[in-house]
Amino acid sequence: MITHNGIAPLMTPADIAIGETLTAVQALNAGITTIVDNAHNLRSPEHADAAVEGLTRAGIRAVLAAGAPITGDDSSHYPHDLLRLRDRYFTSTDQLLTLRMFDSFPSPQSWTFANQHGLDLVVEVGDWIARLDELLASGLMRPGHTYNHCTGLTIDQWKANAGSGAAVDLVPRWDSHYGIGPFSPVLHAARVGVEIGISCDNELSYGYDMFTEMRFLMTIQRGLAAAAHAAGETDVPALYGVRDVLRAATVNGARCAGLTDQVGRIAPGAKADLVVLDLDQVHTQPFGSLLGTVVNFASIANVAAVFVDGTARKWNHRLVDIDYTALAREAENSRDRLLREHGTTPEAVHRDTDLRL
């Protein structure tokens, strides 16, 4: 069995840089102009520098949520290395990359550090956090924080989220895929008035595709609402439609990234981060409602052009200024070396029908 705990300690800064670039380019190809990178394998300052290098190479808009590794003991530089990163790479407020603190091990102490140094937090929140109620009662929750997953929370914990002004992004596929909850808790968010964004979370386990995430989210929300109605509940939120999930993927995604004043909408003063869809494809032609077609039928194959800050990153269905064949070879070389160091081979992985990543 290969797990992230087995591979992560073996990753060098070069592996991090390649992985960052590959993920960012995959996102651009899929029509995603901005990502929040929960980077919780920054095992040294050099690994953190490599993460910045990889994202910069791709030309994507990104929030680097830098965090300590979730396995191993390579975390003595954290969280103080965030201050070095900020001073070295993030001195401008008008650049493609911004910095946040990813809190791998949430505690009042780590949240206090973030507040003291003006760092916004990204935290994976769920019923697995032993000190969650202590954090919720600490007075440290605030706008500028983003909470991922939020599975297994009580209604009082959801109310604390809502009252704090923090953003919440849910992960339609990941929670079920990895069994941390039966379904993403989209109804709970609606019951306390929290508008959610969408996270793809794990491009190693399934296709990196916001169109699929929107459809999963709408299916889950409508299925949970139907089950709640059948159970006789009276406070059931309205069924999602295409506008709801499109908002979760755009405007609310920008809120989760702390970039609502820059991206997520087409308006005067916003950055020119734009996606152009070609609907003259077999699976989207003929079409009726544009919104309905985009949400219910479109795919990566429809992404004709992508602009980030006015610069074309994809044009006429092809990536711009990226030799993807060469990048894929770099990634394959990185993967093959890591697998061999782990004690297996790429050939064995290709043949394995019961691989768990």
Side-chain angles (χ1 to χ4, degrees):
M1 179 184 293
I2 299 174
T3 67
H4 67 281
N5 290 342
I7 291 290
L10 304 176
M11 295 185 73
T12 67
D15 296 319
I16 293 291
I18 292 167
E20 293 280 2
T21 303
L22 188 71
T23 290
V25 170
Q26 288 277 3
L28 290 169
N29 184 63
I32 298 171
T33 63
T34 303
I35 63 173
V36 177
D37 172 27
N38 294 339
H40 46 67
N41 193 35
L42 304 184
R43 314 192 74 82
S44 70
E46 291 74 25
H47 285 75
D49 291 342
V52 174
E53 173 193 331
L55 293 171
T56 301
R57 177 185 175 190
I60 199 168
R61 190 181 301 279
V63 177
L64 176 63
I70 60 175
T71 182
D73 56 3
D74 306 316
S75 57
S76 60
H77 61 292
Y78 184 85
H80 296 89
D81 194 52
L82 283 155
L83 307 182
R84 179 193 67 85
L85 282 172
R86 182 174 63 185
D87 292 343
R88 181 170 182 179
Y89 298 109
F90 299 95
T91 56
S92 171
T93 58
D94 187 20
Q95 59 185 47
L96 291 183
L97 301 188
T98 53
L99 180 68
R100 281 192 173 193
M101 173 177 167
F102 184 85
D103 196 7
S104 303
F105 310 102
S107 69
Q109 291 74 27
S110 58
W111 287 27
T112 297
F113 177 91
N115 276 6
Q116 287 175 340
H117 295 283
L119 294 166
D120 288 337
L121 277 169
V122 178
V123 188
E124 292 185 342
V125 172
D127 55 4
W128 60 83
I129 297 178
R131 303 174 68 179
L132 181 57
D133 282 326
E134 183 180 353
L135 284 166
L136 299 180
S138 68
L140 295 170
M141 300 174 72
R142 60 172 173 81
H145 289 192
T146 298
Y147 303 138
N148 304 335
H149 299 288
C150 296
T151 54
L153 302 190
T154 67
I155 191 63
D156 288 337
Q157 291 169 336
W158 269 107
K159 288 177 179 177
N161 270 358
S164 73
V168 170
D169 69 271
L170 302 184
V171 194
R173 282 189 284 175
W174 199 96
D175 294 349
S176 301
H177 188 93
Y178 282 97
I180 68 169
F183 296 106
S184 195
V186 59
L187 290 193
H188 296 318
R191 285 184 173 116
V192 296
V194 170
E195 287 200 34
I196 56 95
I198 297 177
S199 169
C200 295
D201 202 334
N202 196 319
E203 71 278 15
L204 287 176
S205 296
Y206 42 64
Y208 199 68
D209 179 357
M210 188 59 74
F211 299 100
T212 300
E213 298 295 345
M214 286 192 289
R215 290 194 275 272
F216 259 78
L217 179 64
M218 187 159 64
T219 298
I220 289 169
Q221 197 273 349
R222 292 172 73 92
L224 290 173
H229 277 298
E233 298 182 28
T234 58
D235 62 338
V236 183
L239 295 179
Y240 265 14
V242 294
R243 289 181 182 273
D244 298 297
V245 293
L246 188 62
R247 182 174 178 82
T250 54
V251 177
N252 292 346
R255 181 168 181 258
C256 289
L259 297 172
T260 52
D261 60 333
Q262 299 183 44
V263 299
R265 69 199 193 288
I266 300 175
K271 299 293 185 180
D273 288 16
L274 302 168
V275 178
V276 180
L277 301 181
D278 169 15
L279 298 183
D280 293 329
Q281 305 288 326
V282 171
H283 59 285
T284 50
Q285 190 182 31
F287 54 83
S289 160
L290 288 173
L291 291 184
T293 301
V294 168
V295 171
N296 288 317
F297 294 92
S299 69
I300 293 173
N302 296 101
V303 178
V306 176
F307 296 87
V308 177
D309 205 26
T311 299
R313 299 300 179 189
K314 186 175 184 179
W315 181 256
N316 196 23
H317 295 273
R318 299 181 65 86
L319 292 164
V320 176
D321 294 332
I322 288 287
D323 183 343
Y324 190 78
T325 299
L327 176 60
R329 296 295 173 269
E330 291 180 49
E332 289 166 358
N333 291 335
S334 170
R335 175 202 64 194
D336 293 353
R337 180 187 58 76
L338 288 167
L339 289 174
R340 291 189 177 99
E341 288 190 18
H342 186 268
T344 187
T345 65
E347 294 74 22
V349 170
H350 292 330
R351 293 192 304 269
D352 193 342
T353 60
D354 191 34
L355 185 63
R356 298 290 185 267
L357 285 177

